[in-house]
Amino acid sequence: MNAEPQTQLRLLDLAAVDAEMLRLRHRRRTLPEDKELDRLAEELRARKDDAVGKEIVLDDLDRDIKRHEKELSQVRMREEKDTELQRGGTLPAKQLTELQHELDSLARRKSIIEDETLEVMEQREAAEADLQHAGAQVSHVESQIAEVKRHRDEALADIETAERRCATDRDAIAGSFPAELLALYESRVRAGGLGAGVLNGGKCGACRIELDRGELARINAAPADRVLQCPECDAILVRK
Ligand SMILES: [Zn+2]
């Protein structure tokens, strides 16, 4: 295939736009915000698990408090009943003594339950503070996620703008090539490589591989309008 050296040179403009497109695509795939969002999602899961654990502790303590309150009310009822019997004055001395023993033991039991309840109440206070702290940490991570998402969306919008600009540039440049030359170029792009590279210092500008002397001699001997391809990457090799 032949093409004017000037036309071949312009392929480098097209290749520059395509290289920019590739850079943008790579940037889109490797946004640091996406990595950060993955990390934050994991952190959020852990924080939520932690908050659920703290909630369970609090629920258990609430259950303990209720159990203590119920027991305390049972002891008080028994106490009232016994006190009434005692005041009735109709019981024989032996039973009155037994009743007094029971009242003494109820009083001891009551005092133990009250102490225990106080202790659990204190634990509950601490557990509630823990839960509040855990909840605040969940909110903090959630707001971090919202912030990073905002940055990510801004970066994506920038990339989209740049991609649209590249597409416009590309359309303008690509329209000016002979169909056959453009088809050869595009076939290399479709294969995932660069369509064209400049020959510079014995190296292909597309794959950056140094060509051997035999190849260089063959290239130098070729007419200027001959379209050559890199023996390594098949990109159109443009001579300056
Ligand atoms: Zn090459």
Side-chain angles (χ1 to χ4, degrees):
M1 193 192 301
N2 295 326
E4 284 296 314
Q6 283 309 311
T7 308
Q8 291 193 38
L9 261 179
R10 279 195 296 108
L11 281 175
L12 296 176
D13 296 340
L14 190 57
V17 173
D18 283 344
E20 177 62 13
M21 287 269 221
L22 285 175
R23 262 195 299 279
L24 290 168
R25 203 174 308 157
H26 177 73
R27 205 184 136 206
R28 179 194 287 277
R29 275 199 309 260
T30 56
L31 281 178
E33 285 88 352
D34 279 332
K35 213 171 165 190
E36 179 67 357
L37 282 173
D38 285 347
R39 188 190 69 74
L40 284 170
E42 209 155 291
E43 191 177 337
L44 184 63
R45 247 192 317 275
R47 297 283 187 209
K48 279 185 171 170
D49 284 352
D50 183 49
V52 168
K54 299 267 159 52
E55 220 170 303
I56 290 171
V57 170
L58 194 63
D59 286 350
D60 286 351
L61 289 169
D62 278 340
R63 218 174 11 249
D64 284 352
I65 290 170
K66 274 206 183 98
R67 193 165 48 77
H68 281 130
E69 281 169 349
K70 195 176 161 197
E71 207 183 336
L72 199 60
S73 98
Q74 282 167 346
V75 170
R76 279 186 185 134
M77 270 159 62
R78 188 71 185 268
E79 222 174 25
E80 275 171 33
K81 211 175 116 197
D82 285 358
T83 310
E84 235 169 82
L85 275 172
Q86 205 180 29
R87 282 184 189 149
T90 54
L91 288 178
K94 190 172 171 250
Q95 263 180 303
L96 273 175
T97 314
E98 277 170 11
L99 207 58
Q100 190 52 54
H101 279 316
E102 190 175 286
L103 278 167
D104 290 348
S105 123
L106 284 172
R108 278 196 301 275
R109 181 77 201 119
K110 201 169 71 175
S111 155
I112 288 169
I113 299 169
E114 279 166 353
D115 285 352
E116 280 175 359
T117 307
L118 257 175
E119 206 173 295
V120 179
M121 294 280 229
E122 273 167 21
Q123 285 173 9
R124 193 199 182 280
E125 215 167 293
E128 198 169 24
D130 279 354
L131 177 60
Q132 259 171 18
H133 181 63
Q137 281 184 320
V138 168
S139 307
H140 177 62
V141 177
E142 280 171 342
S143 68
Q144 275 182 309
I145 287 175
E147 173 83 359
V148 177
K149 270 188 181 160
R150 206 164 49 74
H151 284 151
R152 196 240 351 237
D153 291 347
E154 280 167 10
L156 282 177
D158 285 350
I159 290 171
E160 256 161 53
T161 307
E163 278 175 340
R164 265 199 303 275
R165 203 177 44 232
C166 278
T168 310
D169 289 353
R170 193 181 203 283
D171 285 348
I173 301 169
S176 67
F177 291 102
E180 203 188 357
L181 182 64
L182 187 63
L184 177 64
Y185 177 94
E186 298 286 26
S187 73
R188 298 316 313 143
V189 172
R190 272 196 302 279
L194 282 173
V198 68
L199 179 65
N200 195 359
K203 273 187 191 173
C204 161
C207 65
R208 305 195 188 283
I209 291 176
E210 202 157 335
L211 305 182
D212 68 46
R213 245 182 266 172
E215 289 290 353
L216 285 172
R218 187 180 63 83
I219 288 164
N220 286 329
D225 63 348
R226 177 72 49 81
V227 175
L228 302 172
Q229 284 176 268
C230 168
E232 299 294 339
C233 72
D234 277 344
I236 297 171
L237 209 47
V238 178
R239 289 162 288 168
K240 273 193 167 166

